[in-house]
Amino acid sequence: MCKRHILYKKEVVSVSGIQDKVIVITGASGGIGEATAMLLAERGAQVVLGARRSDQLEAIANRIEKSGGKAAYLVTDVKRSEDLSNLVQLASEKFGKLDVLINNAGFMPMSPFDDLRVEEWEDMIDINIKGVLYGIAAALPTFRNQGSGHFINIASTAAYRILPNMSVYAGTKLAVRAISEGLRQEAGDKLRVTIVSPGFTNTPGSMQSDALDAIRDPEMKAKLEAYQNIGLSPYSIAKAIAFAIEQPHDVDVSEIVVRPTAQG
């Protein structure tokens, strides 16, 4: 009994479910995207990074390669379906396949409805919802042709608890959950679909001063300011993403919610 247990532990330790996988990440120039790229590259993945900031993408790719990893990048605006198609094509051309697409790019302004920030609402719909759909459209044919693939879509705990001044953002993340669950049911037994919903995470721009200034409810504003002290590291979310990826192909981790212990 003890001997079999030891052999089993050796097998688990020696086999990585991430090693040599080709993984595309949107919103990869900072925050959760950057942390995920670094962590997955450390574990042997070949990462393809997409975001709008070319200088940041180049710096992250250089750090990965200097550490012995493999990375490629392409300036990508998830509002443009052709950009997602080009990013997926880069993965196939550079590394010969695509194993995982992480739809991470997101936009989170906060304001009361009375401010009528219609352009911000449209941006949230374009980035948070249509950006995910464009990613699915870009990668799904490749996954079907390969007979394997894994979508990881980043939602939010805002999809579970609606707060004032965040209704539109919450609506977009509810949509991500619905889209992902529908995709999971249509995917069949060859493709995997995972929703990762982070709680408050300390990322660049997560607590912008203009977003705080727009909040008129003193209680809500105080809560959001306090979250800066309890927010998770982006690497906490990256580890959750890695957990889903490294499972065997017959294990589909459908949904992961990660929040600070102190978050209500």
Side-chain angles (χ1 to χ4, degrees):
M1 183 73 173
C2 183
K3 185 176 181 180
R4 285 200 300 271
H5 180 65
I6 292 171
L7 288 173
Y8 174 73
K9 286 182 69 177
K10 285 183 178 179
E11 180 182 358
V12 170
V13 170
S14 64
V15 177
S16 169
I18 295 175
Q19 181 73 37
D20 295 327
K21 283 192 172 179
V22 178
I23 302 175
V24 166
I25 307 167
T26 67
S29 61
I32 292 170
E34 177 184 2
T36 301
M38 297 301 298
L39 179 65
L40 296 178
E42 288 171 9
R43 298 190 181 183
Q46 301 164 103
V47 295
V48 180
L49 315 177
R52 290 180 296 179
R53 295 179 291 177
S54 60
D55 55 337
Q56 295 282 358
L57 289 174
E58 182 179 11
I60 294 166
N62 286 340
R63 282 165 54 202
I64 288 170
E65 291 180 341
K66 286 180 180 178
S67 299
K70 295 180 180 179
Y73 68 91
L74 184 67
V75 174
T76 304
D77 184 349
V78 299
K79 291 182 180 181
R80 297 165 51 88
S81 61
E82 56 268 36
D83 282 15
L84 272 301
S85 296
N86 291 337
L87 191 63
V88 167
Q89 184 177 353
L90 173 62
S92 297
E93 291 176 351
K94 179 79 173 180
F95 299 116
K97 60 175 181 172
L98 173 64
D99 295 298
V100 184
L101 172 65
I102 303 174
N103 282 309
N104 168 70
F107 182 52
M108 190 189 73
M110 293 175 287
S111 65
F113 275 113
D114 286 327
D115 281 1
L116 300 178
R117 297 190 181 184
V118 176
E119 289 185 4
E120 287 186 350
W121 302 347
E122 291 174 344
D123 281 340
M124 279 188 275
I125 291 168
D126 288 344
I127 295 170
N128 298 352
I129 300 177
K130 292 169 71 175
V132 170
L133 290 171
Y134 291 156
I136 292 169
L140 187 56
T142 298
F143 287 168
R144 291 298 193 197
N145 289 335
Q146 291 175 169
S148 65
H150 191 174
F151 289 102
I152 298 181
N153 297 329
I154 307 302
S156 168
T157 55
Y160 301 83
R161 184 184 181 196
I162 315 303
L163 296 174
N165 305 303
M166 294 182 65
S167 311
V168 179
Y169 176 74
T172 64
K173 292 304 185 177
L174 277 165
V176 170
R177 290 186 64 211
I179 290 165
S180 301
E181 175 57 17
L183 177 62
R184 185 191 67 80
Q185 294 185 44
E186 293 183 25
D189 62 351
K190 302 299 183 184
L191 309 187
R192 300 192 292 171
V193 181
T194 300
I195 308 162
V196 177
S197 294
F200 192 84
T201 306
N202 287 324
T203 62
S206 63
M207 189 54 64
Q208 298 172 359
S209 59
D210 57 345
L212 279 174
D213 291 342
I215 299 172
R216 297 171 182 172
D217 183 335
E219 183 179 352
M220 177 67 179
K221 186 172 183 177
K223 285 182 179 179
L224 290 172
E225 288 175 332
Y227 281 161
Q228 294 180 90
N229 299 321
I230 66 167
L232 294 170
S233 161
Y235 279 92
S236 298
I237 311 305
K239 289 176 184 177
I241 292 169
F243 171 79
I245 293 172
E246 67 189 1
Q247 301 309 306
H249 289 295
D250 61 345
V251 176
D252 193 356
V253 179
S254 301
E255 193 159 5
I256 302 175
V257 179
V258 185
R259 57 167 61 91
T261 305
Q263 181 175 340

